[in-house]
Structure formats: C-alpha cells, structure tokens
Amino acid sequence: MESIHRSFVYWGYLVALLVCAGCSSISVDYDFDQEADFQAIHTYGWKSVQVPNDALAANPFLKKRVVNGVNTYMVSRGYAQSDNPDIYLTIHAGLQEKMQVTDWGSPYGYHLYPWPNSWYYRDRVDVHYYTEGKLTIDVIRAADTDLIWRGQGTRIIRQYDSQEKMQRFVDEYVAEILDRFPPGHEKQK
C-alpha cells in the first residue's frame, strides 16, 4: 500500500511540474523620470527607432501585433492617438537562446520510479533549450524627446498554432508591461 502511495505522489509531482513548465510568467522591470508630469499626458503617437538585432524589425507581422496590442491597451486606458501627441511610444525586442539544466540526482544517486519497490542507481540530467524574449516599450516626452518611462517584459517565447492565440499572447505581454504606466497606477496583484 505504501508503494502505491509513493507512486501516486511521484506522478502527482510530475504532473505539477509539467503544468508549471507550461505556464510562462512575464518578468517586468520599469523605471521612470520622477520629475515628469504624467498627469499631463492625454495623447500619444509612434516614433520609429533603429536598434541593432531588433526582433520586431526582423518580423514585421509580430511588430504589427505588438503595435495593435499597445494601441488597444492605451485606448482602453483613456489615451488617444494623435498626430500632435503629448508622448511618443517606441518598441523594440530582443531574443536570446537559453539552456536550462536540471539535475534530478539525489545525494545518494538513487531515484524512486513509479512502479512499486523500484529503486535504481542512475544519474539523470535533463537539458532544455528555449528562447527568451524581451520586449521594451519606451515613453518619450514629445516636447523635448526625453525618455520619461521604460518598461521591459521578459518571457519565454512559444510557437502558436493560430494567429488569434498569438495575438492573445502579445496582448497579455503588452498589458503586463503597460499595467505599470503611468507610475502610481500599477496593477494591484
């Protein structure tokens, strides 16, 4: 009976690990000019920037999705797009290939397998490769072109089987970053 219990516990941990591996949280950092008057911002426009190795410049369809996501979010927060804006928005992104190594070894090198009374000596190391993306959204004051706010979100990038799922992913990514704009209106978690 105890070995059956251990088997259920083992499979429960495995399922929990796989579920958590499928969840890709977004890590967000932001900073801002403490002297900027964010209350005076009502309109925005877009400004192009040239950044070396910009993943958005290399993928115009992805850039269009990000711009659509930002526009949707900004309008939902009460900002209007204008030809003579209070601020300009710029976006750029970078991709980095990463490797995650997991050593499943125990102090004695033994592992419990899901079948009853099965202890085997075996070292196990899993190597997982993934792509991490960092999206940067800059807010530039139109009057003097000073950077007044920068938000960066880092997340594991996945492939999606439909354009609708991809747009939902981009919208979630953008919203997570812009939830911290303007300063003092951060999303409560």
Side-chain angles (χ1 to χ4, degrees):
M1 187 62 140
E2 183 180 331
S3 62
I4 292 172
H5 176 70
R6 276 190 272 167
S7 178
F8 280 118
V9 169
Y10 172 82
W11 283 108
Y13 284 132
L14 184 61
V15 168
L17 179 66
L18 291 175
V19 167
C20 288
C23 302
S24 177
S25 64
I26 301 169
S27 172
V28 176
D29 296 312
Y30 71 102
D31 200 359
F32 60 94
D33 180 351
Q34 294 183 358
E35 296 175 10
D37 182 10
F38 290 95
Q39 300 301 320
I41 299 171
H42 304 288
T43 59
Y44 73 96
W46 286 96
K47 193 171 201 69
S48 294
V49 292
Q50 303 248 341
V51 176
N53 302 317
D54 182 8
L56 297 178
N59 187 338
F61 297 119
L62 180 58
K63 183 174 184 173
K64 188 174 183 176
R65 285 187 181 99
V66 172
V67 167
N68 288 339
V70 171
N71 283 336
T72 300
Y73 188 86
M74 292 296 284
V75 168
S76 76
R77 294 285 295 265
Y79 297 99
Q81 194 166 358
S82 170
D83 291 335
N84 187 19
D86 300 321
I87 58 170
Y88 287 109
L89 301 177
T90 67
I91 55 172
H92 56 91
L95 298 175
Q96 186 174 18
E97 298 300 319
K98 297 262 187 158
M99 175 177 62
Q100 178 182 17
V101 178
T102 305
D103 183 355
W104 295 95
S106 67
Y108 306 106
Y110 291 91
H111 301 277
L112 176 63
Y113 286 89
W115 42 89
N117 300 322
S118 298
W119 288 88
Y120 290 99
Y121 175 77
R122 182 173 159 200
D123 288 328
R124 180 174 158 204
V125 175
D126 290 336
V127 179
H128 175 70
Y129 295 93
Y130 61 95
T131 303
E132 185 177 83
K134 180 181 277 189
L135 175 63
T136 301
I137 302 173
D138 287 336
V139 176
I140 299 166
R141 188 171 35 229
D144 57 10
T145 65
D146 281 350
L147 177 67
I148 60 170
W149 187 90
R150 170 174 281 174
Q152 296 181 312
T154 305
R155 183 176 191 172
I156 295 174
I157 304 299
R158 294 178 267 155
Q159 297 295 321
Y160 291 90
D161 57 358
S162 75
Q163 293 186 7
E164 292 81 21
K165 287 182 183 178
M166 173 61 103
Q167 188 64 55
R168 279 195 305 269
F169 163 78
V170 169
D171 291 345
E172 177 186 317
Y173 201 170
V174 165
E176 193 69 31
I177 297 168
L178 288 176
D179 276 343
R180 285 126 175 110
F181 177 81
H185 294 91
E186 292 83 358
K187 179 173 82 172
Q188 300 298 317
K189 293 198 175 199

